[in-house]
Amino acid sequence: MAQQTVQPTVRKQSNPKVEYYKTIWKRLRKNKAAVVGGILILFFIVTSIIGPLFTSYDPNEVDILNKVQGPSAEHWFGTDNFGRDIFTRIIHGMSLTLFVGFFSVVIGGVIGVFFGVISGYYGGVLDTIIMRVMDILLAFPGIILALAIVSVLGGSLTNVIIAVGIFSIPAFARIVRGSTLTVRKLEYIDAVRALGASDARIIFKHILPNVMSPIIVQATLRIATAVLTASGLSFLGLGAKPPTPEWGAMLSDGRSYMAEAPHMVLVPGIMIVLVVLAFNIFGDGLRDALDPKMKK
C-alpha cells in the first residue's frame, strides 16, 4: 500500500493591529446607542456634502410674499421672516456647523496635544508653567472664554473657530499629559532611550501612538461642545453674519416670531440638539470600546 504523506497544517499568524481594530469594532457594534450616533454623524456628513445639490431654492433668496409660512409641500420646514426656505437653509447650514466643529477641534487638539506631550515627557519647570497656564484657561467657563476672545477679535465665523479652538486646548493638554506620564514610565521607553533614540523619535514613534485612544475620544466629544458653543456665539450675534444660514443665527432670528411661527425656532434648535447628541453618544461608545479595562 502506498503511504499517504500527511501535510502539517500551518496556522496563519494574525496581524495584532488588525485584531485590535476588529475587537474595537465588535465592542462598538454592541453599543446600540453608539451605532445610532455613528449613523447620524455619517448622515450629517453626507448630507452636508451632497444635500445642497438637491435643494431647489437659494438659501438667501428673499420672498416677502411668502414670509413666515408654516411647513407645507412646497416648503417642508416652512419659511422665515424674509420668506427664505428654512429646509434649504438648514441643509446649507449643516456644512458650516460641521466645519466649525471639526476645524476648531483640530486647532485645539493639535496645540493641546503638543503642550500635553511636552509637559508630560519633560516635566520639571516646563511642566509647571504649561499646566498653570492651562489651569488659568480652565478657570473660565468655555462659553465665557470664547465670548471674551470673539469680543476682542471681532465677530466672524473664522474668529469663532479660533475662539472655540483656544478654549479646547486645556482639555486636550491635560488628558495627553496624564497619558504621557503613564507611558513614559514603561520599561520599553527606557530601553529605547538606552539604545540612543532621540526625544523626538521617542515622542512621535512610541508615546503618541500609545496615547491616541484618549485623544480620539476627547476629539469626538469636543466636537459636540464646539458645535454648541459656536451656535451660542452666533445666537448672540458674535458668529456668522447675516444672511449666512448658520443654525445659531437662525435660532436668533426666529426668537421674535416664536408665537406666530414656532417652526423658525424649533427646526434649527432640533438640528443642533441632534448633532450634539449624536457626537456625545458616539463619543461615549467609542470611549467604552477603546477602554483597555473592557477587554475580556
Side-chain angles (χ1 to χ4, degrees):
M1 291 179 64
Q3 292 184 350
Q4 289 184 343
T5 304
V6 179
Q7 295 287 342
T9 57
V10 179
R11 188 175 294 178
K12 292 183 178 180
Q13 292 184 350
S14 58
N15 190 329
K17 286 188 177 180
V18 174
E19 292 299 321
Y20 173 68
Y21 291 128
K22 284 183 178 179
T23 304
I24 291 174
W25 170 243
K26 287 178 181 178
R27 291 192 207 133
L28 190 61
R29 208 170 43 178
K30 289 179 181 178
N31 191 325
K32 303 302 181 185
V35 172
V36 172
I39 292 172
L40 281 175
I41 292 171
L42 185 61
F43 170 76
F44 291 138
I45 293 173
V46 173
T47 303
S48 68
I49 296 172
I50 66 173
L53 300 176
F54 298 97
T55 53
S56 55
Y57 294 96
D58 187 313
N60 299 322
E61 183 181 358
V62 176
D63 185 6
I64 299 299
L65 296 178
N66 291 313
K67 66 177 184 179
V68 199
Q69 297 292 318
S72 63
E74 187 178 359
H75 301 284
W76 292 356
F77 292 167
T79 60
D80 64 6
N81 53 316
F82 290 103
R84 297 172 297 196
D85 184 64
I86 293 179
F87 175 76
T88 302
R89 290 177 64 78
I90 287 291
I91 296 298
H92 283 262
M94 193 173 295
S95 58
L96 287 175
T97 300
L98 295 178
F99 177 83
V100 172
F102 280 117
F103 275 87
S104 59
V105 169
V106 167
I107 292 173
V110 170
I111 299 175
V113 168
F114 172 78
F115 283 119
V117 169
I118 295 298
S119 177
Y121 183 78
Y122 290 103
V125 178
L126 188 61
D127 177 31
T128 302
I129 294 173
I130 292 175
M131 284 300 104
R132 294 301 75 77
V133 172
M134 297 304 157
D135 288 341
I136 292 172
L137 293 176
L138 283 172
F140 297 93
I143 185 66
I144 302 298
L145 181 60
L147 189 63
I149 295 170
V150 172
S151 300
V152 173
L153 298 177
S156 71
L157 208 56
T158 302
N159 292 339
V160 167
I161 293 174
I162 294 172
V164 176
I166 290 174
F167 97 73
S168 299
I169 292 174
F172 283 99
R174 292 184 71 87
I175 288 175
V176 174
R177 174 185 177 269
S179 299
T180 302
L181 287 172
T182 302
V183 175
R184 189 187 67 174
K185 297 176 182 178
L186 298 177
E187 293 180 357
Y188 84 93
I189 296 294
D190 295 331
V192 171
R193 187 181 292 111
L195 291 173
S198 63
D199 290 344
R201 181 177 177 80
I202 294 173
I203 289 173
F204 287 102
K205 191 170 179 62
H206 300 285
I207 291 183
L208 276 180
N210 285 286
V211 301
M212 283 305 297
S213 295
I215 293 174
I216 293 171
V217 172
Q218 179 63 23
T220 306
L221 294 171
R222 205 68 191 176
I223 290 174
T225 305
V227 168
L228 198 59
T229 304
S231 298
L233 292 173
S234 294
F235 180 83
L236 296 173
L238 295 173
K241 297 300 180 184
T244 306
E246 202 277 334
W247 294 349
M250 292 174 64
L251 201 61
S252 179
D253 292 338
R255 59 182 173 174
S256 302
Y257 299 88
M258 289 182 64
E260 56 183 303
H263 63 277
M264 287 182 60
V265 175
L266 286 176
V267 173
I270 290 172
M271 292 306 299
I272 293 171
V273 169
L274 286 176
V275 170
V276 172
L277 182 64
F279 277 103
N280 272 329
I281 61 178
F282 181 73
D284 285 338
L286 196 59
R287 178 176 54 198
D288 293 340
L290 292 171
D291 189 354
K293 295 178 183 177
M294 298 291 291
K295 292 183 179 179
K296 293 183 181 180

